[in-house]
Amino acid sequence: MTYETSSPIRPPHLDVRLHVDLDGEVRPHRSAKIEAHLRVDVAATGAAAELPAVELAVIIAVDVAETHRTAVRHALPAALRALPDDISFAVLGGGPEPAPCYPLRGGEWAVADHDHRRRAAFAASALPLHRDGPRPAGYAAWVARARALLAARPLSVRHLLLITDGSSAPGESRLRQELEACAGQFTCDVFAVGTDWPPEPLLTLAERLHGTAEFVEEGLGSAITAAVRRLRRVHTPQLPIAVTVRPAVRQVSLNEKAPRPHRLGGLREPGRPYIWLFPTYQWEPGSRDYLLTLVADADHDPQETELQFAMVSVGDVHAPVTARWHRPDPAAPHGQGGDSVLSLNAGTAMRTALRKGLLALREDRREEAERQLGRAARLAAGLGTDWVLEEIRAVAVVEDAAGGEVRLRTAVDADTLAPMILRVGSGPVEPPAEAAGPPPGPRCAGCGTPAGGEARYCIRCGEELL
């Protein structure tokens, strides 16, 4: 399959395979929940391994106080000197409001070459940072400034790299409102430095703008360079996942589980009330895992009959979500989903318990922290997720992981908790082992649209498939 965006410079080509896994037999109910694991495997075809730098616009925004200048003094010039030729870039520093650092003389954008890199690195040594006086205007001001700058740079990939020590967080009141205005305009990664920053707004910012939040204790220059390199692997800036549902389905939600765990916002397509669009961004070769949840009414459906509840579409590749209403023997155990769905749900519960435990510990609610961390340890042992156990061991002794027994350490360094919470909220989830998706199924005889192997009707024209 070839999917093309409207990039004015080079339309990327992606080969997409879509696989759906769920428990095919669910209990009938007026509000029955159906969960499906979606695996999207993407490979770039007919294109260079990297996006040309001329298609990228990147803002490097430095929101740190003068007292933390040492955190960026050497890293920022090094990252600027490593920018690829032809990338559009701008550098912002901060006083009470975001202030331009480079380009100079009132320009908004520079296109990297030897001279611009050298001049930008030199200018960064005098980066404006806020000192004593009025507090910075908050993260919303940085996001608003980025939106205004990027609106004048309509390139394929537009991205904000925000470096912060948390000094903009106090008094934040309009971040969510500004994030609504930025939806679909650009993406954002956050690098947290220092030790005095709250993780919650940084996670909100990164998740809503489809990026990651990362604590960088050292190696900031390398982290910025790696982020730019990753952006060059993006072959499609935006690729919506469409979910077409039958009328009996009343609610639809889609959560990305890997590589960036967050809930996606669904949009109804105008004039087509049964189609939900979930915008996704920064598609590069690799795999993504999603949990699709449908709430359906079984009142008028036959039982023990294969039914199609939805069709999932990524570009022009489609896969059906099929199941049957089944009332099993009350004595028999009933699964709540396919194996991979159970793994996704268990992974979410594990991450949630770990985050709640760390938050409780931060607030000195030790009994609750011990309970939540024990639950996270038990789930991690069942899933074989070693990194979670390592995180727990930083603040507690794991006495019996499988039994969920942990004992908090007497002294826990408070400075370590915020980076841990950030990692839990923004780090990758290890996806369940899954076979590669099957090749696309039959095509509609009427319009030629490909369909999943078990589809009953064409997603585009409605013709019955033979």
Side-chain angles (χ1 to χ4, degrees):
M1 177 296 269
T2 297
Y3 180 79
E4 299 188 0
T5 67
S6 59
S7 166
I9 298 173
R10 182 182 68 92
H13 300 267
L14 294 180
D15 179 70
V16 176
R17 286 194 171 188
L18 175 63
H19 178 70
V20 177
D21 177 63
L22 75 162
D23 182 1
E25 297 182 343
V26 293
R27 290 179 182 270
H29 191 270
R30 291 201 64 185
S31 296
K33 184 166 72 172
I34 300 170
E35 294 181 321
H37 168 213
L38 310 182
R39 164 67 63 85
V40 187
D41 295 307
V42 173
T45 59
E50 288 191 335
L51 196 71
V54 72
E55 296 193 34
L56 277 69
V58 175
I59 295 173
I60 302 175
V62 184
D63 168 39
V64 304
E66 178 64 37
T67 53
H68 285 151
R69 181 178 290 274
T70 54
V72 298
R73 176 177 293 154
H74 301 294
L76 184 56
L80 292 169
R81 285 191 290 266
L83 288 175
D85 282 343
D86 300 325
I87 189 173
S88 295
F89 74 99
V91 182
L92 300 178
E97 297 283 343
C101 171
Y102 197 84
L104 306 173
R105 300 190 183 93
E108 290 189 337
W109 289 96
V111 178
D113 59 17
H114 178 270
D115 287 339
H116 274 302
R117 285 192 292 266
R118 175 182 56 81
R119 290 163 61 84
F122 181 75
S125 300
L127 182 77
L129 301 178
H130 61 83
R131 306 170 185 265
D132 295 336
R135 278 193 178 277
Y139 295 130
W142 292 94
V143 175
R145 179 65 171 144
R147 177 164 60 92
L149 280 175
L150 289 165
R153 212 69 174 177
L155 299 179
S156 295
V157 176
R158 300 184 293 174
H159 194 73
L160 169 65
L161 290 172
L162 178 62
I163 304 161
T164 182
D165 62 359
S167 50
S168 278
E172 184 69 75
S173 60
R174 55 188 181 90
L175 177 59
R176 292 184 182 275
Q177 178 182 352
E178 184 56 44
L179 290 175
E180 291 287 343
C182 293
Q185 303 300 309
F186 61 92
T187 51
C188 175
D189 287 329
V190 177
F191 297 123
V193 299
T195 59
D196 188 20
W197 42 265
E200 290 83 358
L202 299 182
L203 287 170
T204 297
L205 199 160
E207 290 170 1
R208 292 293 300 276
L209 296 181
H210 298 265
T212 58
E214 179 183 350
F215 169 61
V216 182
E217 190 170 14
E218 55 186 30
L220 176 61
S222 299
I224 296 172
T225 300
V228 173
R229 189 177 299 123
R230 182 184 61 77
L231 291 172
R232 296 193 65 185
R233 294 197 299 268
V234 173
H235 283 268
T236 294
Q238 179 177 353
L239 184 62
I241 296 177
V243 181
T244 304
V245 299
R246 57 194 295 252
V249 176
R250 294 197 293 246
Q251 297 178 31
V252 183
S253 66
L254 188 65
N255 289 270
E256 183 174 331
K257 296 299 182 180
R260 299 180 184 89
H262 63 280
R263 182 185 179 94
L264 299 177
L267 306 171
R268 292 283 185 95
E269 186 167 341
R272 306 175 74 183
Y274 298 120
I275 297 181
W276 290 79
L277 296 178
F278 295 89
T280 62
Y281 299 88
Q282 294 190 1
W283 283 82
E284 56 189 276
S287 298
R288 295 194 182 193
D289 290 275
Y290 298 89
L291 181 65
L292 172 67
T293 303
L294 309 174
V295 176
D297 181 359
D299 277 357
H300 303 291
D301 284 341
Q303 295 183 25
E304 304 299 344
T305 300
E306 195 77 6
L307 300 170
Q308 181 172 316
F309 289 90
M311 181 73 84
V312 179
S313 305
V314 182
D316 59 7
V317 167
H318 314 290
V321 179
T322 61
R324 67 176 69 211
W325 297 122
H326 176 60
R327 197 180 298 277
D329 182 345
H334 179 74
Q336 296 300 309
D339 288 343
S340 65
V341 174
L342 291 174
S343 296
L344 288 177
N345 284 332
T348 299
M350 173 187 67
R351 186 181 288 273
T352 299
L354 178 56
R355 185 170 184 271
K356 286 182 177 180
L358 295 174
L359 287 170
L361 184 56
R362 193 179 186 207
E363 298 166 2
D364 202 30
R365 295 183 287 117
R366 296 179 66 87
E367 185 176 336
E368 174 66 7
E370 211 164 69
R371 186 177 72 83
Q372 293 290 352
L373 293 176
R375 181 169 185 247
R378 177 173 53 79
L379 291 168
L383 293 171
T385 312
D386 292 337
W387 71 266
V388 170
L389 295 176
E390 289 303 314
E391 292 285 318
I392 294 172
R393 289 189 182 105
V395 297
V397 176
V398 179
E399 297 181 335
D400 178 8
E405 296 181 13
V406 303
R407 175 171 46 83
L408 292 178
R409 299 187 187 279
T410 304
V412 176
D413 185 356
D415 290 344
T416 67
L417 293 176
M420 292 175 70
I421 295 168
L422 205 62
R423 286 196 296 271
V424 172
S426 189
V429 178
E430 296 180 17
E434 194 70 47
R443 289 182 176 268
C444 173
C447 68
T449 301
E454 299 179 49
R456 303 294 182 86
Y457 297 93
C458 176
I459 190 71
R460 183 165 295 171
C461 69
E463 286 293 320
E464 185 171 2
L465 299 174
L466 300 179

